[in-house]
C-alpha cells in the first residue's frame, strides 16, 4: 500500500524556518519523483517544488529562493526546507507522487499531474 506521511509543520514566527518531511512506504522511493504542494483556506492547491528520482530539483518561479527540496534514500524521506517564513505561507503542505508512466521524472507542478497524496501537515506563520 502506497503511503506518504507529511510531518514537521507547526506554528512559527515570521522570519523563522521549518523543515517538512515526507516519509514514504509501500513503494520504492528510489524510483519516484516527489512533488510538494500547499493549500491555504479558500484557495487552490499550488505547486512548490519537485525532486526527481536522481535528485534534480525544480521550483515554481515564485517559490525559488526560500524553498529547498532534498531526499534521504536511507530514510525513504523527502524534505522541504522553508526559510524566511511569512504569514502568507500559512497553509497545509502536501507531498505526492507523479501520475502517469514516467514516475521518476517531475511533471508540471499541477495537482492533476500527481496522485498518491499524503494527509498534509499544517504550517501556521504568526507572531
Amino acid at each position: 500500500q502506497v503511503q506518504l506521511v507529511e510531518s514537521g509543520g507547526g506554528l512559527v514566527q515570521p522570519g523563522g524556518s521549518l523543515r517538512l518531511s515526507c516519509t514514504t512506504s509501500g513503494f520504492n522511493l528510489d524510483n519516484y519523483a516527489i512533488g510538494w504542494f500547499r493549500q491555504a483556506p479558500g484557495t487552490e492547491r499550488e505547486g512548490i517544488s519537485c525532486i526527481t528520482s536522481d535528485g534534480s530539483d525544480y521550483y515554481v518561479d515564485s517559490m525559488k529562493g526560500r524553498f529547498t527540496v532534498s531526499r534521504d534514500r536511507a530514510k525513504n524521506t523527502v524534505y522541504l526546507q522553508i526559510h524566511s517564513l511569512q504569514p502568507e505561507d500559512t497553509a497545509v503542505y502536501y507531498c505526492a507522487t507523479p501520475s502517469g508512466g514516467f514516475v521518476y521524472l517531475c511533471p508540471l507542478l499541477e495537482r492533476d499531474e500527481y496522485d498518491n497524496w499524503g494527509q498534509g501537515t499544517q504550517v501556521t506563520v504568526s507572531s
Side-chain angles (χ1 to χ4, degrees), residues 1 4 13 15 20-21 23 30 66 69-70 80-82 85 112 120 127:
Q1 181 182 0
L4 296 90
Q13 292 188 340
L20 307 183
S21 300
T23 303
D30 287 352
R66 295 193 300 118
V69 64
S70 61
L80 183 70
Q81 181 78 46
I82 316 172
L85 280 156
D112 290 347
S127 56

Side-chain angles (χ1 to χ4, degrees), residues 10-51:
L11 175 63
V12 62
Q13 292 188 340
S17 299
L18 280 176
R19 188 179 76 164
L20 307 183
S21 300
C22 173
T23 303
T24 67
S25 61
F27 65 103
N28 188 351
L29 180 61
D30 287 352
N31 298 330
Y32 278 76
I34 295 291
W36 279 98
F37 292 74
R38 69 183 184 184
Q39 188 167 16
T43 69
E44 296 291 321
R45 195 165 297 186
E46 64 174 341
I48 301 170
S49 176
C50 180
I51 186 166

